[in-house]
Amino acid sequence: MNDHRIPTVRLGDDGPEVGVQGLGCMGMSFGYGPSDADASRATLERALELGVTLYDTADAYAAGENERFLSPFFKAHRDELVIATKFGLSIPPDEPTKRIIRNDPPYIRQCVEASLRRLDVDVIDLYYMHRRDVRVPVEETVAVMADLVREGKVKHLGLSEVTGDELRAAQAVHPVAAVQSEWSLFSRDIEAGVVPAARELGVALVPYSPLGRGFLTGAFTNADQDLAAGDFRRQQPRFTGDNAAANAALLDPVRTVADAHDATLGQVALAWAQQRARVHGLPVIPIPGTRKPTRVEENAAATRIVLTEDELTLLEPIAGKVAGTRYADMAFTSAGRE
């Protein structure tokens, strides 16, 4: 068994020290079909043994059930880990394809109190605005979040899927520790504006879906054919129909690099994401999601893979060739507003 602990990095100028790779916990309760609760609990424990200390959830994941599921683990290891959760996005249980976004002050206060109850903790380590409600000035939203810090309910602030300009506006109100956005071999739109702004302001980048929601691992090639009916990846354009077939062909250079390192496709994708820190000069903490201890071991091992400049050059063109957008409606992403 490999017990090599991953290195640590500070979560931005204002944030806590965390492992250089975190864990996305959404799939343990939501989004990717049925889950084995015992395997998920074992995954949480194994991740911590390997030095993974940033655990990511949200109130939107299974209408708060993901926070409840994680609560016993968080309480058992409260001083060893960093709890990240989010507000601002809700998904009606009877309309799983619908997204409701709210950033108004009363809603934020309602959400933080509910998350504190579900998590059964006194303070949230990292509290994200999950999605940007364009009807509310970002400065107003962050001002309320800053009040939560002063009140001792939240330690650090994060933003998800914001533009570079929105990040700058937020930072002018209160220090932001981290920006979370999709960033992978398949999704690089944030490099145009968000990444330079984060580097300039001393904010960490937390890439979600660094494995392309599993597609970059080769785990599936067509969502309609390979995934269960309730799996939300069937709603994402790049994973279905002709797009899926075209994108599957883009994995060939990833296989070439994986063979050279005796690694998996997923490990190469994660190594690429980890090396964005050196390429762009800022802290980068990917949060791959998994529900199996063996996968978290595989993911953590990717932090020890260093891709050569030739290998990075081979992988460079992939994102520009991807067919289909990462969401059917990109208005809810930073790319949709840049």
Side-chain angles (χ1 to χ4, degrees), residues 11 18 23 29 41-42 60 82 95 102 124 132 135 147 176 200 208 221 245 248 262 265 267-268 273 283 301 303 338:
L11 198 65
V18 295
L23 181 65
S29 308
R41 293 187 190 100
V82 171
E95 295 183 82
R102 288 182 61 184
I124 294 165
R132 167 96 163 88
R135 300 168 299 179
D147 286 342
V176 176
E200 166 195 327
Y208 72 81
T221 57
D262 192 23
L265 298 181
Q267 286 177 321
V268 171
T303 63
E338 283 284 12

Side-chain angles (χ1 to χ4, degrees), residues 140-331:
E140 181 177 331
T141 299
V142 176
V144 178
M145 296 171 71
D147 286 342
L148 300 180
V149 174
R150 286 187 282 271
E151 293 164 14
K153 296 174 181 178
V154 170
K155 290 184 180 179
H156 303 283
L157 303 187
L159 304 171
S160 180
E161 290 286 0
V162 293
T163 67
D165 286 345
E166 289 165 351
L167 174 57
R168 289 186 178 92
Q171 183 80 358
V173 176
H174 188 278
V176 176
V179 168
Q180 185 174 137
S181 192
E182 188 164 354
W183 200 9
S184 72
L185 282 169
F186 268 22
S187 299
R188 298 180 58 179
D189 49 70
I190 67 168
E191 293 175 19
V194 183
V195 172
R199 180 178 62 241
E200 166 195 327
L201 299 170
V203 176
L205 248 297
V206 178
Y208 72 81
S209 299
L211 296 173
R213 303 195 185 277
F215 196 89
L216 283 165
T217 71
F220 71 99
T221 57
N222 186 299
D224 287 335
Q225 298 171 8
D226 302 336
L227 303 179
D231 195 305
F232 90 112
R233 289 171 289 186
R234 293 174 62 138
Q235 305 168 21
Q236 296 181 297
R238 60 180 47 167
F239 301 141
T240 59
D242 292 341
N243 287 346
N247 292 336
L250 298 178
L251 298 182
D252 287 344
V254 186
R255 290 190 179 90
T256 298
V257 176
D259 289 345
H261 288 269
D262 192 23
T264 65
L265 298 181
Q267 286 177 321
V268 171
L270 285 174
W272 180 90
Q274 301 280 177
Q275 283 183 235
R276 297 304 90 194
R278 176 175 59 80
V279 171
H280 293 280
L282 77 170
V284 177
I285 304 94
I287 50 168
T290 186
R291 301 177 286 192
K292 297 178 180 179
T294 54
R295 291 298 186 201
V296 86
E297 291 172 358
E298 176 184 324
N299 293 347
T303 63
R304 303 195 297 276
I305 296 173
V306 179
L307 305 180
T308 68
E309 291 303 319
D310 286 346
E311 289 168 341
L312 292 174
T313 298
L314 183 64
L315 300 172
E316 182 68 22
I318 292 175
K321 299 177 181 179
V322 172
T325 54
R326 50 192 177 98
Y327 291 102
D329 184 355
M330 289 290 286

Side-chain angles (χ1 to χ4, degrees), residues 1-46:
M1 182 179 291
N2 184 357
D3 286 306
H4 189 287
R5 288 178 64 85
I6 64 175
T8 61
V9 66
R10 185 160 297 282
L11 198 65
D13 290 349
D14 183 56
E17 195 85 6
V18 295
V20 295
Q21 187 182 107
L23 181 65
C25 301
M26 180 186 80
M28 296 178 179
S29 308
F30 169 79
Y32 295 143
S35 179
D36 182 320
D38 289 338
S40 292
R41 293 187 190 100
T43 299
L44 294 167
E45 296 286 352
R46 185 66 180 128

Side-chain angles (χ1 to χ4, degrees), residues 108-128:
I108 297 171
R109 290 195 165 277
Q110 171 189 326
C111 288
V112 73
E113 296 296 343
S115 284
L116 287 167
R117 286 194 300 272
R118 287 189 293 263
L119 293 165
D120 195 16
V121 296
D122 295 327
V123 61
I124 294 165
D125 300 315
L126 178 60
Y127 200 42
Y128 284 103

